[in-house]
Amino acid sequence: MDGTIRAASPDDVPAMLALMRELAEFEKLTHLFVASDESLHEALFGVRPAAEALVAEQDARVVGYALFFHNFSTFLSRRGLYLEDIYVQPGLRGSGLGTALLQRVAAIAVERQCGRFEWSVLDWNQRAIDFYAKMGASVLPEWRIVRITNDALMRLAKAE
């Protein structure tokens, strides 16, 4: 692998946000992308951080990232680590940076005695599915993501 993996710093926010936009384009989800430098900075480095991130650098340039946070399993009665995003720029895929990011987050999960390390993958992204399987991950076909946002979230919150 030609590059380094390190914890993200506040100075990395603009580069990470640019990579997040690239990911939204790749996933054809730019219509949902509303993150800003300010909101990402607050989420990662604010008074009460919601997530953590690692960045992959090559030639002193941020070219990938992994963003993760803790969740909890009632069945295990232990916290887990959820990988929200892992992204490496297309020209550097296959360089080992994605593997290194995934391994580093897995090591953090082990260090913190997490019971699980989980993430989601789009069903059409076969290259990613194959990559994850090669790393030892299982895609769970019986589970579906359930999501409620925007107006529907507001309506549900008001229902008592």
Side-chain angles (χ1 to χ4, degrees):
M1 177 191 78
D2 184 25
T4 59
I5 306 298
R6 62 171 174 77
S9 75
D11 292 339
D12 296 318
V13 167
M16 289 180 61
L17 192 67
L19 293 173
M20 290 173 183
R21 279 192 191 101
E22 288 181 23
L23 176 60
E25 289 172 14
F26 173 75
E27 293 181 343
K28 300 170 182 57
L29 296 172
T30 54
H31 61 286
L32 300 176
F33 191 85
V34 297
S36 67
D37 283 349
E38 295 79 21
S39 64
L40 183 58
H41 184 276
E42 181 65 24
L44 295 176
F45 306 106
V47 176
R48 190 171 174 190
E52 300 172 65
L54 301 174
V55 294
E57 281 186 318
Q58 189 176 59
D59 300 324
R61 190 171 62 87
V62 175
V63 296
Y65 73 96
L67 190 141
F68 55 95
F69 56 88
H70 285 283
N71 56 14
F72 187 79
S73 167
T74 54
F75 288 8
L76 299 176
S77 190
R78 292 171 65 184
R79 65 183 177 171
L81 210 56
Y82 187 84
L83 180 66
E84 177 67 20
D85 290 340
I86 183 168
Y87 181 77
V88 174
Q89 291 184 308
L92 294 167
R93 293 181 188 155
S95 69
L97 289 171
T99 299
L101 282 166
L102 202 58
Q103 288 173 328
R104 185 70 60 89
V105 179
I108 291 168
V110 169
E111 288 167 14
R112 296 179 185 178
Q113 300 178 347
C114 294
R116 294 180 178 158
F117 176 32
E118 299 176 307
W119 61 95
S120 300
V121 62
L122 291 166
D123 61 359
W124 56 260
N125 194 347
Q126 193 60 49
R127 184 173 179 183
I129 292 168
D130 294 343
F131 171 67
Y132 299 145
K134 185 176 135 187
M135 297 289 107
S138 301
V139 176
L140 306 175
E142 64 276 10
W143 287 90
R144 299 289 185 262
I145 296 171
V146 178
R147 179 177 294 158
I148 190 164
T149 61
N150 302 323
D151 291 341
L153 178 59
M154 296 304 288
R155 283 191 303 276
L156 181 61
K158 290 179 183 176
E160 294 185 12

